[in-house]
Amino acid sequence: MTHRLLFLLFFSLLGSQSAIGADAQVWINAGMRYKPTKKVSLNVNQHLRLDQNVSRVQGILTDLSVSWRAKKWFRLGGGYRFQMDSNKDGLLLPGHRLHIQARLKHGFGPVDLSYRLRFQETLEHDEGEIDARHTMRNRIGVD
């Protein structure tokens, strides 16, 4: 029953008037994970984002990350992202992002509750200048 409702919702959105005039975008993602030990995980992800009705590259992103499971309920990690994002003129400009994070997770029967705190340092090129941003990101999840 749920699959039928999602199917009908998807096709009703395709046929709506607002979707016809909108810009079609595609985000493609592929990744690999390697676990050298039971507690350490290395990840590589490649993203390709297309816009303007899938005719222009909006961005190319490469993510490298590592995580260490200190306890069953506590995980530490860090990562690096290299990105080429298009500016308002359609030129691809490079950017870099470093992050460190900690995640807490607790299970309540079939439901897992998690909290992640991440510190990000982002460096982006903007018209010949380098823009640096520091960001603290919180994420609460229920699985």
Side-chain angles (χ1 to χ4, degrees):
M1 180 68 176
T2 305
H3 295 292
R4 289 182 192 164
L5 290 175
L6 289 174
F7 183 77
L8 289 173
L9 179 63
F10 175 74
F11 281 102
S12 67
L13 289 175
L14 281 179
S16 71
Q17 290 296 324
S18 62
I20 291 172
D23 175 26
Q25 297 181 353
V26 173
W27 290 17
I28 302 167
N29 179 18
M32 293 185 335
R33 176 180 299 159
Y34 173 64
K35 295 185 84 167
T37 69
K38 195 173 184 179
K39 294 187 175 202
V40 175
S41 176
L42 305 170
N43 299 297
V44 176
N45 285 301
Q46 182 67 47
H47 307 265
L48 176 63
R49 297 177 179 174
L50 305 170
D51 65 357
Q52 293 186 356
N53 292 322
V54 195
S55 66
R56 181 182 79 141
V57 174
Q58 178 190 15
I60 302 169
L61 301 93
T62 303
D63 288 322
L64 306 169
S65 63
V66 61
S67 66
W68 173 58
R69 191 180 71 195
K71 298 284 185 186
K72 186 175 181 180
W73 53 271
F74 182 64
R75 187 173 296 221
L76 294 173
Y80 168 75
R81 170 181 279 184
F82 176 74
Q83 60 192 37
M84 297 291 289
D85 282 328
S86 63
N87 65 2
K88 61 186 174 203
D89 299 324
L91 299 173
L92 290 173
L93 298 175
H96 308 275
R97 184 176 81 187
L98 294 165
H99 75 266
I100 56 172
Q101 65 186 26
R103 188 192 78 186
L104 303 170
K105 188 173 184 178
H106 185 70
F108 297 97
V111 176
D112 288 332
L113 181 64
S114 64
Y115 171 73
R116 183 190 74 191
L117 177 64
R118 175 184 278 186
F119 174 74
Q120 287 182 186
E121 180 72 22
T122 305
L123 301 171
E124 294 177 334
H125 297 268
D126 187 25
E127 297 180 15
E129 295 183 16
I130 296 177
D131 180 31
R133 280 190 323 235
H134 322 287
T135 309
M136 293 289 279
R137 297 180 72 182
N138 297 289
R139 184 168 117 185
I140 296 173
V142 178
D143 295 328

